[in-house]
């Protein structure tokens, strides 16, 4: 393929793309979800071709999804639980690199008005350096804000593994692994091998349009995602893989005193996996309908390997007994916790999905429990041969849905 | 007018799809040219021939693993002194859009004398499982392959002292 032909193909892609509106599409322009798409047919903004897709359900049950393709982030929505989708809208008009692999992927949130908030990581020129970026889609103006960089240190260093939560009132919290302390240490001839956690906050509905940056914790593993949720005060709570002592990769947890200051970190897992390396597997948390915080994580100590679950009723100061729900044999990974919206039980239905690989196929498994005390038997909810993204759960007014993506196929939303 | 527009759009889409197929083929050719010179793709069928012959040290690494680069730096230093050490490098990055970046790493002259591999596209989990079903994907991961071809795995960064100890087994 010559460069000329590549240029022609690119030009045609852009020509077709130009027909897509950059503002919210009308209901008349919805696209039918297609069956499997050959990779050779992938054009700009084609959802099925995305490596990873992130979605959120707004107050009205509209499912918004975001993904990246060729240095652009896209956003669309579905009002019929994935039967059809709106025309994709391009978020960043100026192309930029967007991390979209594994745990380092774009994030999406919604407030009570239906405004959509997007955050992603853009790698920079030097290896392991990046900025955390942000844009939001105003539902009333039907347009995206110009993307901005959230980290305010203006340093060529690591800012990655962003996580975002949005309250119904429009408080946007973005946390990430931050490398500014490494730069400061390097100036003194010290090599730091861990990262810090920073948290930024803004509220565009209330006119707080600039994100502040607040230090929360230090000593984190440098290559695993954070897990972030909202507690019962609508303040963020975070869980992450920490480096304890001599490279013990267990998990830390913290809640916030207020929008900017953290309470002290609590250690919440104790498998004592000692490894000087990258597990590439972060944890998952969700609050119950009460004060209970539910947590799930991967660990790989010699005598404790696989996926684990536990809860805390006192913000991590003490933990329940650990439930080792998936053992090493089937390569379990990436647990995701969610709380079912509709439940008569106090504390809600706690749901877990994760991915396994049995040597022939990827298997998505599902568990549920009332308040995390007793778990029903696991069941398989999806399988695929290859190209499988990590599983998530979406809570929709019509029920709970497994959210997973097989590259080349439409986003799968499977009722649990 | 409408049908004409449809016909035009149809023609553009058809051309686009054709070009996409050609472009895709072109990418494969381009990568093959690079791979022939620098890096080979590791497929499940290759594992026995690549990883079952010892004594050898095999280092699994990824572009997303900072500790891996520390280990690669140490190995480059050791290879600069002893270029013919029985060491192989295997990148676990199975995204073909990253192969160029992997080639940049493999372009280090210190690595010119040793086999360098990268996971075949979209085969990371399959390869991980086939190489070692007890390995959970953490990196860096090292295998010392003994004279009988048995692989002994280790997770985490190997420092220079540890590497020298293993090298004494493969010299």
């Amino acid at each position: 393929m010559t460069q000329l032909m590549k240029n022609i193909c690119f030009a045609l892609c852009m020509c077709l793309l130009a027909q897509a509106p950059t503002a919210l599409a009308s209901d008349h322009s919805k696209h039918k979800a297609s069956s499997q798409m050959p990779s050779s047919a992938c054009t700009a903004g084609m959802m099925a071709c995305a490596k990873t897709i992130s979605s959120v359900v707004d107050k009205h049950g509209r499912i918004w999804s975001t993904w990246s393709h060729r240095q652009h982030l896209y956003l669309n929505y579905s009002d019929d639980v994935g039967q059809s989708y709106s025309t994709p809208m391009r978020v960043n008009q100026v192309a930029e690199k967007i991390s979209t692999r594994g745990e380092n992927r774009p994030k999406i949130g919604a407030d009570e008005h239906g405004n959509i908030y997007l955050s992603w990581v853009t790698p920079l020129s030097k290896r392991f350096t990046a900025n955390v970026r942000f844009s939001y889609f105003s539902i009333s103006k039907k347009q995206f804000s110009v993307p901005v960089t959230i980290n305010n240190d203006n340093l060529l260093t690591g800012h990655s593994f962003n996580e975002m939560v949005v309250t119904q009132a429009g408080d946007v919290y973005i946390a990430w692994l931050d490398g500014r302390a490494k730069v400061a240490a390097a100036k003194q001839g010290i090599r730091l091998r861990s990262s810090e956690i920073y948290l930024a906050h803004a509220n565009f509905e209330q006119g707080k349009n600039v994100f502040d940056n607040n230090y929360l914790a230090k000593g984190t593993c440098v290559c695993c995602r954070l897990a972030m949720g909202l507690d019962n005060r609508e303040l963020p709570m975070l869980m992450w893989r920490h480096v304890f002592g001599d490279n013990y990769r267990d998990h830390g947890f913290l809640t916030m005193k207020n929008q900017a200051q953290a309470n002290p970190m609590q250690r919440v897992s104790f498998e004592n996996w000692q490894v000087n390396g990258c597990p590439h597997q972060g944890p998952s948390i969700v609050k119950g309908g009460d004060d209970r915080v539910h947590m799930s994580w991967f660990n790989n100590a010699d005598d404790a390997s696989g996926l684990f679950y536990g809860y805390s009723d006192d913000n991590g100061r003490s933990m329940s007994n650990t439930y080792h729900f998936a053992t090493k044999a089937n390569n379990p990974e990436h647990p995701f916790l969610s709380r079912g919206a509709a439940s008569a039980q106090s504390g809600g239905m706690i749901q877990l999905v994760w991915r396994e690989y049995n040597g022939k196929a990827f298997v998505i498994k599902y568990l549920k429990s009332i308040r995390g005390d007793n778990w029903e038997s696991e069941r398989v909810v999806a399988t695929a041969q290859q190209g499988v993204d990590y599983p998530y759960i979406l809570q929709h007014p019509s029920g709970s849905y497994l959210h997973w993506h097989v590259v080349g196929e439409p986003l799968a939303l499977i009722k649990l | 007018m409408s049908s004409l527009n449809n016909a035009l759009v149809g023609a553009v889409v058809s051309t686009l799809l054709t070009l996409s197929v050609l472009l895709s083929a072109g990418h494969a050719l381009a990568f093959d040219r690079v791979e022939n010179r620098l890096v080979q793709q590791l497929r499940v069928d290759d594992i026995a021939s690549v990883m079952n012959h010892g004594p050898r040290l095999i280092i699994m690494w990824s572009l997303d693993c900072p500790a891996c680069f520390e280990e690669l730096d140490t190995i480059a230093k050791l290879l600069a002194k002893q270029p013919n050490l029985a060491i192989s490098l295997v990148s676990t990055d199975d995204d073909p859009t990253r192969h160029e970046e992997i080639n940049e790493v493999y372009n280090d002259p210190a690595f010119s004398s040793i086999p360098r591999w990268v996971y075949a596209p979209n085969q990371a989990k399959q390869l991980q499982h086939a190489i070692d079903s007890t390995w959970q994907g953490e990196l860096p991961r090292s295998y010392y392959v003994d004279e009988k071809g048995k692989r002994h795995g280790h997770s985490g960064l190997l420092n220079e002292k540890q590497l020298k100890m293993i090298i004494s087994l493969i010299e």
Side-chain angles (χ1 to χ4, degrees), chain A residues 196-217:
Chain A
E196 296 181 323
I197 299 174
Y198 270 70
L199 179 72
H201 169 255
N203 188 317
F204 298 89
E205 290 295 299
Q206 296 173 6
K208 184 179 183 300
N209 297 335
V210 177
F211 283 91
D212 53 16
N213 278 210
N214 295 295
Y215 160 85
L216 297 190

Side-chain angles (χ1 to χ4, degrees), chain A residues 40 51 193 276 278 328, chain B residues 20 70 95 98 134 139 157:
Chain A
S40 57
K51 291 173 189 163
R193 286 186 165 82
N276 184 6
C278 285
K328 187 174 183 171
Chain B
S20 296
E70 282 190 55
D95 179 349
R98 310 189 85 188
T134 68
L139 292 171
L157 176 67

